């Protein structure tokens, strides 16, 4: 980071420290840098009082008063409290880090004593963290989240608009629905996907398949997927992905398979995250993204842990959120309150599990329908599926195998 004097040394060290400790959140580091720039540019506009030692404030001079002035300034500009709160949360995190690393001393109230400090802090015992206690209040804001119909259309669009990467993109969206972050999905390895025998066993015993992922802050957690969706992954790995690896190896003898489930169609390399985000967004309605698909998935996870006790009363909010946060890899359980409010408002909990299975089956149907359109003999079946007539996946696969054998 830079300011009028050149390199803004201490904030730069803070950002480097975050980047080194949490290598999987570089996009977040960029966001932190933007937040700090906005705040310190505001500080530079403030006039120092008469008798002050310097003509402008140094970063070490910042107090609660400056935080409050920033809030008022941004509110007057029409900025939402949520935006302001995000920035001040980052700024407080920087000052806490500076206090802990002795760039400032006795400036931030992160000590369990009754002394007065320039920057206040409140210790949240439930989640063992310090926060600035005067963040502007923010009402629950329900952002636009894809509906089940939106996602079904997105899956169909992905598969039907691209023979090359449509199936891959649909599977990535399916992982987002199971609360996977973008990097969670792109880091899953082939060996983590069950074999067909293991999938058959899970189907017979009606068990959920679990995939371990390494998420933000290098914390591992398990994504839960249905056996039907696991089977779609296995079909992709043994089909389209195997064809990519074979083709790239023929063209480049030095090529080494990275072992990731999702690889580039062109050269078999790991996928670029920004490229994938762009592709997923093009399947969705305007102003929606893969991140919003995950938001729907988190709402579903919260709903799955919601319900009623033996007396017919709703389960305690805290209990629901703690269990859902653990399953979704969410750091602050109480920040999931808006998802629980949305879920309860729409009576979501009763529909979650059946929708997950239906979505996997719809994905399989779309893939098979795409396959059979390649064969003139099977066009009547494709038309029948399109008109809503029920035809079993087993029958379609049997016919496909018969044609390919001949």
């Amino acid at each position: 980071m830079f300011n009028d004097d050149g390199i803004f040394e201490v904030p730069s060290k803070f950002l480097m420290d975050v980047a080194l400790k949490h290598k999987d959140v570089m996009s977040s580091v960029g966001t932190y840098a933007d937040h700090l720039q906005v705040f310190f540019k505001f500080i530079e506009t403030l006039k120092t009082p008469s008798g002050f030692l310097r003509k402008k404030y140094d970063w070490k001079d910042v107090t609660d008063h400056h935080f409050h002035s920033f809030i008022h300034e941004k509110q007057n500009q029409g900025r939402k409290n949520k935006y302001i709160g995000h920035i001040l949360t980052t700024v407080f995190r920087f000052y806490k880090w500076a206090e802990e690393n002795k760039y400032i001393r006795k400036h931030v109230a992160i000590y369990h004593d009754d002394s007065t400090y320039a920057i206040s802090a409140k210790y949240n015992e439930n989640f063992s963290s310090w926060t600035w206690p005067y963040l502007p209040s923010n009402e629950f804001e329900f952002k636009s989240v894809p509906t089940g119909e939106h996602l079904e259309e997105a899956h169909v669009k992905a598969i039907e608009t691209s023979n090359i990467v449509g199936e891959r993109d649909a599977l990535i969206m399916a992982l987002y629905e199971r609360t996977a972050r973008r990097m969670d999905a792109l880091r899953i390895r082939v060996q983590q996907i069950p074999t067909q025998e293991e999938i058959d066993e899970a189907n017979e015993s009606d068990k959920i398949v679990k995939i371990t992922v390494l998420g933000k802050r290098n914390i591992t957690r398990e994504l839960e997927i249905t056996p039907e969706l696991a089977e779609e992954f296995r079909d992709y790995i043994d089909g389209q992905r195997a064809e990519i690896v074979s083709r790239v190896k023929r063209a480049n003898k030095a090529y080494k398979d990275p072992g990731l489930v999702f690889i580039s169609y062109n050269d078999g390399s790991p996928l670029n995250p920004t490229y994938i985000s762009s592709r997923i967004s093009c399947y969705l309605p305007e102003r929606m993204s893969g991140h919003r698909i995950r938001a729907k998935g988190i709402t579903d996870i919260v709903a799955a842990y919601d319900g009623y006790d033996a007396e017919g009363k709703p389960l305690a909010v805290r209990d629901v959120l703690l269990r859902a946060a653990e399953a979704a890899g969410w750091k602050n359980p109480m920040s999931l309150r808006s998802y629980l409010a949305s879920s309860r408002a729409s009576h979501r909990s009763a529909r979650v599990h059946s929708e997950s299975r239906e979505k996997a089956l719809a994905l399989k149907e779309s893939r098979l329908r795409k396959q059979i359109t390649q064969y003139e003999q099977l066009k009547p079946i494709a038309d029948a599926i399109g008109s809503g007539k029920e035809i079993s996946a087993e029958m379609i696969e049997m016919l496909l195998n018969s044609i390919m054998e001949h």
Side-chain angles (χ1 to χ4, degrees):
M1 289 184 63
F2 295 85
N3 58 14
D4 292 342
D5 300 322
I7 295 176
F8 202 172
E9 183 179 357
V10 179
S12 295
K13 288 182 177 179
F14 163 71
L15 294 170
M16 286 188 285
D17 187 64
V18 173
L20 289 170
K21 289 180 179 177
H22 309 293
K23 295 180 181 180
D24 58 328
V25 289
M26 287 307 297
S27 60
S28 297
V29 176
T31 301
Y32 296 159
D34 292 338
H35 288 173
L36 293 177
Q37 286 281 22
V38 169
F39 180 77
F40 286 120
K41 284 182 179 178
F42 164 76
I43 295 299
E44 290 176 358
T45 67
L46 301 179
K47 292 183 179 180
T48 58
S50 59
F52 199 75
L53 296 177
R54 291 180 292 277
K55 291 183 179 180
K56 62 179 183 178
Y57 288 108
D58 184 72
W59 71 271
K60 294 181 180 180
D61 301 322
V62 168
T63 67
D64 281 352
H65 169 74
H66 299 100
F67 280 32
H68 285 296
S69 296
F70 179 81
I71 292 173
H72 295 148
E73 172 78 8
K74 295 304 175 184
Q75 286 177 336
N76 290 336
Q77 293 175 358
R79 291 291 192 174
K80 292 184 178 181
N81 285 341
K82 188 170 186 177
Y83 166 82
I84 300 169
H86 281 325
I87 291 178
L88 288 183
T89 297
T90 299
V91 173
F92 175 81
R93 180 176 177 179
F94 159 68
Y95 276 98
K96 173 178 173 288
W97 173 89
E99 180 78 37
E100 291 171 339
N101 289 274
K102 299 181 174 55
Y103 290 103
I104 47 178
R105 299 300 302 272
K106 297 296 181 178
H107 193 86
V108 184
I110 57 171
Y111 307 97
H112 296 282
D113 58 33
D114 296 325
S115 301
T116 301
Y117 295 87
I119 296 177
S120 300
K122 178 182 179 181
Y123 189 69
N124 186 330
E125 293 184 359
N126 291 334
F127 308 112
S128 303
S129 63
W130 291 96
T131 59
W132 191 61
Y134 308 115
L135 290 172
S137 62
N138 180 58
E139 296 296 327
F140 289 147
E141 180 182 341
F142 297 133
K143 288 186 177 180
S144 180
V145 174
T147 63
E149 291 75 16
H150 285 147
L151 293 176
E152 186 173 340
E153 291 173 2
H155 282 286
V156 171
K157 186 177 179 180
I159 290 176
E160 293 192 349
T161 56
S162 176
N163 289 326
I164 297 175
V165 296
E167 184 178 346
R168 178 201 70 192
D169 293 348
L171 288 172
I172 291 175
M173 285 192 284
L175 285 173
Y176 289 171
E177 290 181 65
R178 302 311 302 157
T179 77
R181 294 182 176 87
R182 179 179 62 182
M183 291 311 299
D184 294 344
L186 298 186
R187 286 176 173 175
I188 294 176
R189 305 188 69 80
V190 170
Q191 63 194 35
Q192 292 179 263
I193 304 301
T195 63
Q196 188 59 55
E197 290 76 12
E198 291 170 332
I199 295 170
D200 291 340
E201 183 180 339
N203 252 321
E204 291 174 6
S205 56
D206 200 25
K207 289 184 178 179
I208 290 295
V209 175
K210 297 182 179 181
I211 301 175
T212 302
V213 295
L214 180 66
K216 292 180 71 172
R217 299 175 295 278
N218 291 323
I219 297 174
T220 58
R221 65 187 182 95
E222 291 183 329
L223 294 179
E224 296 183 349
I225 64 174
T226 62
E228 290 85 357
L229 183 55
E231 189 169 15
E232 288 302 299
F233 275 100
R234 177 49 55 191
D235 287 343
Y236 170 74
I237 290 169
D238 296 340
Q240 285 195 3
R241 188 190 181 282
E243 292 174 6
I244 293 172
V245 172
S246 177
R247 170 172 49 80
V248 174
K249 280 185 175 179
R250 287 196 300 270
N252 178 11
K253 301 299 183 183
Y255 171 74
K256 291 185 178 180
D257 185 343
L260 302 170
V261 171
F262 302 114
I263 55 177
S264 167
Y265 175 83
N266 294 323
D267 59 11
S269 63
L271 289 174
N272 179 285
T274 303
Y275 160 75
I276 284 299
S277 291
S278 176
R279 287 205 59 82
I280 300 303
S281 294
C282 78
Y283 302 127
L284 296 166
E286 188 177 0
R287 301 187 69 181
M288 291 189 187
S289 63
H291 189 68
R292 302 315 300 157
I293 296 178
R294 182 171 184 262
K296 179 186 180 300
I298 291 171
T299 303
D300 291 347
I301 289 290
V302 171
Y305 285 103
D306 195 15
Y308 300 88
D309 62 19
E311 297 178 359
K313 297 178 181 179
L315 294 174
V317 169
R318 177 179 171 78
D319 292 340
V320 174
L321 297 183
L322 285 172
R323 295 172 66 196
E326 182 179 0
W330 202 266
K331 184 179 180 182
N332 182 359
M334 297 311 293
S335 67
L336 293 175
R337 284 177 297 177
S338 60
Y339 294 98
L340 180 58
S342 175
S343 169
R344 288 185 171 179
S346 61
H347 306 287
R348 182 112 190 87
S349 60
R351 306 193 304 271
V352 169
H353 298 291
S354 62
E355 284 189 5
S356 177
R357 177 152 289 181
E358 288 171 5
K359 186 61 59 58
L361 292 173
L363 178 61
K364 185 171 186 176
E365 179 185 294
S366 296
R367 177 176 59 81
L368 291 172
R369 184 182 174 190
K370 183 69 176 178
Q371 281 183 268
I372 65 179
T373 55
Q374 301 174 33
Y375 303 97
E376 187 64 29
Q377 304 99 307
L378 297 181
K379 189 176 184 301
I381 294 181
D383 294 338
I385 295 175
S387 64
K389 294 182 180 178
E390 292 187 5
I391 297 178
S392 71
E394 289 77 10
M395 180 181 292
I396 295 173
E397 287 186 335
M398 180 181 69
L399 290 170
L400 273 173
N401 291 335
S402 175
I403 289 175
M404 293 174 71
E405 286 174 3
H406 293 85

